[in-house]
């Protein structure tokens, strides 16, 4: 399947022999690009010229420049489909026709390509075709600009809506956080108050439990204080009575030490009872 041709049209600023001539140093170059050849239609507004580069001519030019055909055509399209400010264009008479040339740099060397054009068989028709192509391209570009503008306005409106929605979400978020914080603080204060009440209750219970114990300790202290010591005289008497008599008349010589201790304890108890009375 053959590749579809590509069309281009560019306005090139060229050096002319007479700057006051129609066109004023500017020409329009309409080109049709195919995989192995191309054709040109050039007008300065007053006249028209054409060139039809055949497959053989393009191949011969590419061989002269040691380039593949595709690379040669790509470089030619670059300089004829778009005006390159770094290039010097010229459009001069060459016999019955005109010669279009342009310059470019390759590996630091300035080179020049040129193609000879013949007068168009139907100049007015060629000029009309160029103008029609320019008008169609202008209409397509205008429509594209309108679509891009509408798309931009739509995107801009959506962006504004998103911004407003984002601001509303931020406001609602801040309000929700404030309300949640207020509720949290209220709950926290309530918990603190309950904890204080529980602590106070525990302290009160501990105080109530501690009071009876202190009273019991005080009573025990009072009962201990009321006990009076045994009089020294009774102890002396007991010690005298407990000692065995040398003469044998003061006690039972056959009584054992255990019996003497029991008797002494009994007498001590009777002495304490009499003292409490």
């Amino acid at each position: 399947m053959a590749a579809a041709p590509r069309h281009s049209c560019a306005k090139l600023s060229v050096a002319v022999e007479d700057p006051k001539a129609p066109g004023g140093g500017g020409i329009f170059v309409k080109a049709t690009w195919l995989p192995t050849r191309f054709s040109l239609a050039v007008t300065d507004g007053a006249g028209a010229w054409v060139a039809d580069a055949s497959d053989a001519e393009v191949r011969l030019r590419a061989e002269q420049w040691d380039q593949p055909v595709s690379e040669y055509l790509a470089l030619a399209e670059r300089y004829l489909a778009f005006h390159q400010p770094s290039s010097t264009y010229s459009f001069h008479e060459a016999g019955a026709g005109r010669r279009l040339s342009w310059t470019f740099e390759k590996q630091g060397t300035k080179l020049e390509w040129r193609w000879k054009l013949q007068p168009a068989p139907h100049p007015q028709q060629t000029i009309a075709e160029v103008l029609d192509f320019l008008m169609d391209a202008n209409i397509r570009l205008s429509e594209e600009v309108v679509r891009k503008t509408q798309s931009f306005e739509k995107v801009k409106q959506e962006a504004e809506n998103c911004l407003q929605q984002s601001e509303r979400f931020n406001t609602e978020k801040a309000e929700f956080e404030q309300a949640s914080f207020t509720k949290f603080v209220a709950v926290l204060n309530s918990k603190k108050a309950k904890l204080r009440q529980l602590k106070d209750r525990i302290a009160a219970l501990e105080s109530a439990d501690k009071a009876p114990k202190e009273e019991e300790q005080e009573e025990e202290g009072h009962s201990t204080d009321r006990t009076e010591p045994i009089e020294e005289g009774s102890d002396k008497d007991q010690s005298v009575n407990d000692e065995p008599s040398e003469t044998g008349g003061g006690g039972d010589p056959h009584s054992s030490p255990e019996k003497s201790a029991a008797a002494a304890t009994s007498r001590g108890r009777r002495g304490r009872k009499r003292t409490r009375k």
Side-chain angles (χ1 to χ4, degrees):
M1 183 177 179
R6 301 185 307 277
H7 302 282
S8 64
C9 188
K11 182 180 180 180
L12 306 178
S13 298
V14 297
V16 294
E17 297 175 352
D18 184 8
K20 296 181 180 180
I27 60 172
F28 292 93
V29 179
K30 179 180 178 294
T32 301
W33 305 96
L34 294 167
T36 57
R37 59 190 177 87
F38 67 95
S39 61
L40 301 175
V42 182
T43 180
D44 57 0
W49 298 263
V50 295
D52 189 8
S54 64
D55 295 345
E57 290 177 324
V58 171
R59 185 170 57 255
L60 179 61
R61 292 290 185 93
E63 290 175 355
Q64 291 175 352
W65 292 96
D66 296 329
Q67 291 178 322
V69 172
S70 60
E71 185 178 342
Y72 179 88
L73 289 174
L75 189 59
E77 183 178 359
R78 176 184 175 187
Y79 282 86
L80 297 180
F82 305 94
H83 178 78
Q84 302 294 332
S86 61
S87 178
T88 300
Y89 296 90
S90 64
F91 189 60
H92 298 290
E93 291 183 359
R98 291 288 184 102
R99 183 178 64 248
L100 175 64
S101 64
W102 62 95
T103 61
F104 64 95
E105 290 188 3
K106 185 177 182 180
Q107 297 179 353
T109 303
K110 190 172 185 179
L111 305 174
E112 184 181 42
W113 280 2
R114 63 185 65 178
W115 277 92
K116 189 175 181 180
L117 296 92
Q118 299 297 329
H122 307 285
Q124 299 300 323
Q125 182 180 353
T126 301
I127 294 173
E129 290 176 356
V130 173
L131 293 177
D132 288 342
F133 182 86
L134 291 174
M135 289 298 296
D136 292 342
N138 183 61
I139 291 172
R140 289 194 301 272
L141 289 174
S142 299
E143 292 175 351
E144 184 68 18
V145 169
V146 171
R147 286 196 298 270
K148 294 293 185 182
T149 302
Q150 291 176 350
S151 177
F152 174 76
E153 292 296 332
K154 184 178 179 180
V155 172
K156 181 180 178 181
Q157 184 63 36
E158 291 178 355
E160 292 178 354
N161 293 336
C162 291
L163 181 60
Q164 294 176 359
Q165 188 176 10
S166 177
E167 292 177 353
R168 185 172 66 255
F169 286 162
N170 289 334
T171 303
E172 292 177 355
K173 178 184 177 183
E175 293 176 353
F176 174 77
E177 290 178 350
Q178 183 63 30
S180 300
F181 181 75
T182 302
K183 292 180 179 180
F184 173 76
V185 171
V187 172
L188 183 62
N189 291 334
S190 175
K191 295 296 183 181
K192 288 182 177 180
K194 289 182 179 180
L195 288 174
R196 285 195 296 269
Q197 292 177 359
L198 291 175
K199 288 181 179 180
D200 295 341
R201 187 177 299 176
I202 290 172
L205 291 175
E206 290 178 350
S207 299
D209 185 51
K210 186 177 180 181
K213 291 182 178 180
E214 291 179 352
E215 292 178 357
E216 291 178 359
Q217 293 177 357
E218 290 178 358
E219 290 178 356
E220 292 178 356
H222 289 310
S223 61
T224 304
D225 294 340
R226 290 174 182 174
T227 303
E228 296 179 358
I230 301 173
E231 295 179 358
E232 295 180 357
S234 61
D235 290 339
K236 290 180 179 180
D237 295 340
Q238 291 177 5
S239 62
V240 171
N241 293 330
D242 290 341
E243 292 179 356
S245 175
E246 294 179 357
T247 57
D252 189 0
H254 299 286
S255 61
S256 63
E258 290 83 358
K259 291 180 179 182
S260 299
T265 302
S266 177
R267 286 192 299 271
R269 288 178 179 175
R270 286 195 300 270
R272 282 196 297 273
K273 289 181 180 180
R274 286 192 303 268
T275 304
R276 289 178 181 177
K277 290 179 181 181

